Amino acid sequence: METLILTGNHAVAYAVKMARARFVSCYPITPQTQIVEKLAEFILSGELDAVFVPVESEHSAMAACIGASLAGVRTFTATCSHGLAYMHEMLHWASATRLPIVMAVVNRAIGPPWNIWAEHGDSISQRDTGWIQIYTSNHQEAFDTILQAYKIAEDPEVLLPVMVCLEGFVLSHTAQPVLLPNQEDVDAFIPHEPWKHITIDIDNPITHGNLQMPEDWFYEFRFLLHKAMETAKKKIVRCSEEFEKIFGRNHGHLVEEYKCSDADVVLLSMGSLADQAKLVVDVLREEGYKAGAVKLRSFRPFPEEELCRIARKTECILVIDRNLSPGKGGAVASELKASLYGIKEKPLILECIAGLGGRDVTLEEELEVMKQAFKIIEECTEPKGIIWLGLK
């Protein structure tokens, strides 16, 4: 093992190298470009035995990965923002064909106005494409989650592509110590066997993507896609547990709880804000508030059962979304409320939008809004709409 000081982007590249991906295709876009630049260096130097296919667009990058994955090789690409939007059509082809492609999404706002900084709106916009989405909060988690993503994606009971999300510049271009495991341990954790459900075999040719009439199998394909996403929940948990046994690190399974056992107010967030939330909780605890925090790692599949369990023992959940569905609010808050519909005693849900377009979300702002939540439950009042942190 060794520890390197890596940017979030390079942490992802090192993880892809240690996962022994054999095919990389990409089109450059800020702020993810450093990932594939580093992978190109690894391939050129012989440190990674892989084929690198530069293409003219993100749509083609995913199309190339689909072709390579159909041949049974481990594939990788990376993108963000407008590039991910341009890839949209092929995201459906990858998931519905049940190809275990892994992609890093370096979250960046979608314009206009033009903006290259962190926001989850790009990946959230792709939530219904059938891709597993895991959000990371620091560099080590980004590295570890790439390894986990291959194991989850290639599980014969899952066979779904995975997006590993890390925030642009906040994680992509800052540096932290990242512990690299032994290659032998990584090889043992994610041994590669070509998937058997669909491969290109010149001796046994078959056709792909044929037209399906309404009475054929399209409906059943979608049913099985949904069931695979549900199965992925337990596979993510199992993968995380196995990872901890081998490598000694646990970033949470579907969610990570922090001091929630007796919390009256829980702060729910994703990405780097989830790490900052722990500091918010510590400050509030020192002031006598029973505060807790939950990091949402898996947005797809959405961990309804885990969040319902947390909701049953708290009075209020404050959700900070770094994304926006105009006319509705934040995606995490919306999905949380839908998940809690079936339980009898629901906590108050306080919705908050913050950090759009990379705007800084300060500790002081989060402390203030958490104290508002405590005041609401103390005075038994109703939340009044969405709170916009840091709005001018």
Side-chain angles (χ1 to χ4, degrees):
M1 293 187 292
E2 64 175 330
T3 299
L4 300 178
I5 304 299
L6 297 175
T7 65
N9 279 343
H10 284 179
V12 168
Y14 271 88
V16 173
K17 185 185 77 163
M18 297 198 75
R20 299 189 190 277
R22 292 302 177 92
F23 183 89
V24 178
S25 183
C26 191
Y27 186 79
I29 182 171
T30 302
Q32 81 74 18
T33 305
Q34 292 177 338
I35 296 176
V36 288
E37 285 179 338
K38 194 65 178 176
L39 285 171
E41 291 177 15
F42 287 146
I43 294 170
L44 186 63
S45 66
E47 296 178 70
L48 176 60
D49 181 15
V51 173
F52 188 101
V53 178
V55 288
E56 80 288 356
S57 73
E58 289 83 356
H59 188 282
S60 296
M62 184 51 61
C65 285
I66 288 171
S69 190
L70 282 168
V73 300
R74 188 169 277 171
T75 61
F76 176 80
T77 188
T79 191
C80 63
S81 188
H82 294 264
L84 183 61
Y86 194 22
M87 202 181 266
H88 175 78
E89 178 192 4
M90 302 314 295
L91 297 181
H92 285 280
W93 280 96
S95 61
T97 312
R98 308 291 297 276
L99 298 174
I101 298 166
V102 171
M103 172 167 62
V105 175
V106 185
N107 291 116
R108 166 189 146 180
I110 293 181
W114 207 240
N115 185 292
I116 60 172
W117 287 276
E119 188 184 305
H120 296 150
D122 53 356
S123 50
I124 292 292
S125 297
Q126 307 300 333
R127 63 181 171 183
D128 298 328
T129 56
W131 280 63
I132 293 169
Q133 290 192 5
I134 301 176
Y135 290 77
T136 62
S137 61
N138 56 63
H139 300 51
Q140 186 70 62
E141 186 179 8
F143 176 93
D144 293 344
T145 305
I146 290 288
L147 302 182
Q148 294 174 6
Y150 280 109
K151 191 171 189 67
I152 297 162
E154 295 174 7
D155 188 296
E157 296 182 43
V158 178
L159 288 172
L160 289 174
V162 179
M163 292 183 195
V164 177
C165 302
L166 62 156
E167 291 160 355
F169 296 102
V170 178
L171 297 185
S172 68
H173 284 64
T174 58
Q176 290 181 358
V178 176
L179 182 61
L180 305 188
N182 295 324
Q183 184 65 60
E184 309 84 65
D185 291 336
V186 175
D187 292 342
F189 180 65
I190 46 173
H192 177 55
E193 296 180 4
W195 20 101
K196 299 177 181 178
H197 72 300
I198 183 167
T199 57
I200 294 175
D201 182 350
I202 58 174
D203 294 324
N204 297 285
I206 59 174
T207 59
H208 299 279
N210 291 336
L211 179 66
Q212 287 284 290
M213 301 299 286
E215 63 274 21
D216 291 334
W217 295 100
F218 183 93
Y219 190 17
E220 286 70 23
F221 268 102
R222 288 298 179 271
F223 170 76
L224 293 173
L225 181 61
H226 178 70
K227 298 302 289 184
M229 189 64 83
E230 289 187 333
T231 300
K233 288 183 184 179
K234 65 180 181 183
K235 296 294 183 178
I236 292 171
V237 173
R238 193 172 301 169
C239 173
S240 181
E241 291 172 343
E242 184 179 346
F243 188 91
E244 184 178 15
K245 287 181 183 176
I246 298 172
F247 302 103
R249 291 187 294 278
N250 183 353
H251 304 285
H253 304 316
L254 297 161
V255 299
E256 181 187 40
E257 300 174 50
Y258 185 71
K259 298 183 178 178
C260 290
S261 59
D262 65 340
D264 294 328
V265 177
V266 168
L267 173 54
L268 174 63
S269 55
M270 298 196 301
S272 63
L273 291 178
D275 269 10
Q276 183 168 290
K278 296 176 183 175
L279 184 55
V280 172
V281 168
D282 289 342
V283 172
L284 289 172
R285 288 269 173 178
E286 288 179 2
E287 296 180 14
Y289 293 94
K290 290 183 177 179
V294 173
K295 175 171 70 176
L296 180 61
R297 292 190 77 221
S298 173
F299 183 76
R300 279 292 181 275
F302 196 76
E304 294 182 356
E305 297 83 359
E306 287 75 9
L307 292 173
C308 284
R309 174 179 53 77
I310 294 167
R312 287 191 177 95
K313 59 185 182 182
T314 192
E315 296 186 50
C316 177
I317 299 179
L318 168 64
V319 185
I320 296 184
D321 267 296
R322 198 167 207 163
N323 65 85
L324 175 66
S325 177
K328 179 58 178 173
V332 175
S334 179
E335 302 245 353
L336 174 66
K337 287 190 288 188
S339 299
L340 302 186
Y341 181 77
I343 67 173
K344 291 182 179 179
E345 296 183 4
K346 304 178 184 61
L348 289 173
I349 305 298
L350 200 57
E351 298 183 56
C352 190
I353 300 294
L356 301 186
R359 181 163 296 181
D360 193 22
V361 182
T362 67
L363 179 69
E364 290 74 19
E365 289 172 332
E366 288 190 294
L367 287 169
E368 182 181 344
V369 73
M370 280 290 281
K371 289 179 179 178
Q372 285 183 39
F374 279 101
K375 187 177 181 181
I376 286 172
I377 61 173
E378 180 182 349
E379 297 178 351
C380 297
T381 56
E382 293 290 330
K384 297 178 180 178
I386 297 171
I387 298 171
W388 295 73
L389 280 191
L391 189 68
K392 292 180 181 176

